[in-house]
């Protein structure tokens, strides 16, 4: 495997690299921004790619926001996008549940461990759910809860799926209830299983860490519908109809973004060093996941 090409400062190399692709799949956290802080020259870079006629899709594992929420965030950041260019892990999970898994009613309701983004996308697909941001679940577990969860009186008999995402409101009541549904045969899904979330110019526990307690308790991994899942790649290709050989995945995380692009047999992958992964990880001898090229920051594409 040839070593990745370092493109920062290499104008000719950048021009040649961009000429290989018609479509760019952009990761968001750690590539475009850190929380609400937009990295330098990101807006100019996106403008430049659009002026070259490139198709852009924003592919994020962050399940806390819906496509509509991301459209608002892009607008706030001064980046011209439309909602249909966003394809997040919440949307990926909702599409999978509604159009692929298609559990027969009535036992097709979802028990959500996560934020509003998941709820909005499930609503958009007509999928019923409980928990999520429901304040009734944002409380300490009480002694009577143990009995009511164990005997099923606290459970909704129509729940057939547990969906675990990035949940900023974790508690034992929600975990114990989700665990009981799984013990009773519910399908175990996750929007994504990233270990860390790059935000506030630091790292925080990610969706995978938020759901780790439930995984440990039930003793099996959920089916994750975010990067690097190829169910997500297939869904994106099904929606945007691109030529994979002329498509490049741009990301900050080797075991989601770059692996997603490589396993999806895309024409190329571009790593940026503003997020989770460090260049030492992919420059090391025998590194398992190596991008085609890398740069210090996305804005280096416009120099
Ligand atoms: O923990 C998470 O959910 C992820 O770290 C995070 O949201 C990743 O978002 P992305 O980098 O795919 O935009
Ligand atoms: Mg990222």
């Amino acid at each position: 495997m040839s070593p990745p090409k370092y493109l920062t400062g290499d104008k000719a190399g950048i021009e040649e690299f961009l000429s290989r692709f018609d479509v760019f799949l952009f990761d968001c956290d750690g590539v475009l921004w850190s929380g609400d802080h937009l990295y330098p020259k990101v807006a100019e870079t996106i403008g430049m790619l659009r002026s070259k006629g490139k198709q852009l899709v924003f592919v994020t594992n962050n399940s806390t926001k819906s496509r509509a929420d991301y459209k608002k965030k892009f607008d706030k950041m001064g980046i011209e996008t439309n909602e249909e260019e966003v394809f997040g892990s919440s949307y990926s999970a909702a599409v999978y549940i509604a159009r692929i898994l298609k559990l027969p009613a009535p036992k097709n309701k979802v028990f959500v461990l996560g934020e509003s983004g998941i709820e909005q996308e499930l609503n958009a697909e007509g999928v019923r759910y409980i928990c999520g941001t429901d304040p009734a679940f944002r409380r300490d577990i009480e002694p009577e809860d143990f009995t009511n969860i164990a005997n099923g009186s606290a459970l909704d008999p129509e729940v057939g799926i547990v969906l675990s995402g990035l949940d900023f409101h974790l508690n034992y009541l929600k975990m114990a209830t989700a665990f009981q549904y799984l013990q009773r045969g519910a399908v175990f899904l996750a929007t994504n299983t990233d270990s860390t979330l790059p935000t506030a110019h630091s790292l925080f526990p990610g969706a995978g860490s938020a759901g780790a307690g439930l995984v440990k308790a039930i003793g099996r991994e959920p089916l994750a519908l975010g990067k690097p899942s190829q169910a997500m790649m297939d869904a994106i290709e099904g929606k945007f109809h691109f030529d994979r050989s002329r498509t490049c995945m741009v990301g900050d995380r080797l075991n989601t973004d770059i692996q997603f692009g490589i396993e999806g047999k895309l024409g190329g992958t571009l790593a940026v060093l503003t997020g989770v992964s460090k260049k030492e990880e992919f420059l090391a001898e025998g590194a398992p996941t190596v991008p085609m090229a890398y740069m210090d920051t996305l804005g280096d594409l416009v120099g």
Side-chain angles (χ1 to χ4, degrees):
M1 183 186 298
S2 51
K5 192 169 173 56
Y6 181 52
L7 291 178
T8 294
D10 178 358
K11 272 193 179 312
I14 287 172
E15 276 309 309
E16 191 281 329
F17 186 82
L18 294 180
S19 70
R20 296 176 183 212
F21 309 109
D22 305 320
V23 182
F24 287 84
L25 308 184
F26 274 107
D27 173 45
C28 298
D29 289 339
V31 173
L32 305 179
W33 51 57
S34 175
D36 288 332
H37 166 79
L38 192 65
Y39 294 131
K41 300 185 192 171
V42 164
E44 296 89 322
T45 301
I46 288 173
M48 175 272 290
L49 291 170
R50 290 196 194 283
S51 69
K52 287 179 178 288
K54 309 293 186 185
Q55 182 182 5
L56 310 182
V57 184
F58 300 96
V59 185
T60 177
N61 271 4
N62 191 319
S63 62
T64 63
K65 287 184 174 63
S66 63
R67 289 162 296 162
D69 291 335
Y70 271 108
K71 165 65 179 155
K72 289 189 196 115
K73 180 166 185 175
F74 276 113
D75 288 349
K76 206 172 85 180
M77 298 278 191
I79 297 178
E80 185 71 35
T81 56
N82 71 61
E83 196 172 308
E84 288 311 303
E85 288 180 315
V86 181
F87 202 106
S89 61
S90 286
Y91 180 57
S92 179
V95 165
Y96 175 82
I97 291 167
R99 305 184 203 180
I100 312 289
L101 183 62
K102 291 196 289 193
L103 290 186
K107 208 170 175 65
N108 57 357
K109 203 180 277 185
V110 182
F111 186 79
V112 173
L113 295 169
E115 301 296 336
S116 164
I118 296 178
E119 295 174 322
Q120 291 176 57
E121 298 295 9
L122 290 176
N123 278 331
E125 289 292 316
V127 176
R128 299 176 301 148
Y129 64 86
I130 58 171
C131 193
T133 61
D134 181 350
F137 283 92
R138 291 183 175 180
R139 62 175 176 80
D140 292 343
I141 194 165
E142 301 296 339
E144 63 274 17
D145 290 316
F146 288 93
T147 306
N148 297 336
I149 290 170
N151 68 24
S153 61
L155 304 182
D156 179 332
E158 296 187 346
V159 168
I161 298 164
V162 169
L163 177 59
S164 172
L166 181 50
D167 188 347
F168 293 130
H169 301 84
L170 300 169
N171 65 39
Y172 189 83
L173 174 67
K174 288 158 68 172
M175 184 168 32
T177 307
F179 176 71
Q180 193 65 223
Y181 282 122
L182 291 175
Q183 280 193 300
R184 294 165 180 245
V187 175
F188 193 11
L189 303 178
T191 57
N192 61 303
T193 54
D194 299 50
S195 57
T196 53
L197 164 68
T199 192
H201 304 291
S202 184
L203 291 177
F204 289 79
S209 304
L214 187 56
V215 170
K216 176 81 174 174
I218 201 69
R220 56 188 161 96
E221 295 288 334
L223 172 68
L225 282 311
K227 299 167 288 184
S229 156
Q230 291 306 305
M232 187 184 209
M233 181 68 80
D234 294 344
I236 294 171
E237 184 184 37
K239 179 171 181 177
F240 297 96
H241 306 291
F242 50 69
D243 173 351
R244 292 192 185 210
S245 68
R246 298 282 302 170
T247 299
C248 179
M249 177 72 207
V250 185
D252 68 293
R253 191 182 189 112
L254 291 173
N255 68 352
T256 54
D257 306 317
I258 306 304
Q259 186 179 334
F260 183 64
I262 292 169
E263 288 183 1
K265 295 187 174 34
L266 299 188
T269 53
L270 173 62
V272 293
L273 301 177
T274 40
V276 174
S277 295
K278 302 295 171 225
K279 62 182 177 185
E280 292 73 18
E281 296 171 57
F282 55 77
L283 293 177
E285 187 65 32
T289 307
V290 179
M292 173 186 273
Y294 70 104
M295 299 189 308
D296 295 343
T297 180
L298 183 65
D300 291 345
L301 281 180
V302 291

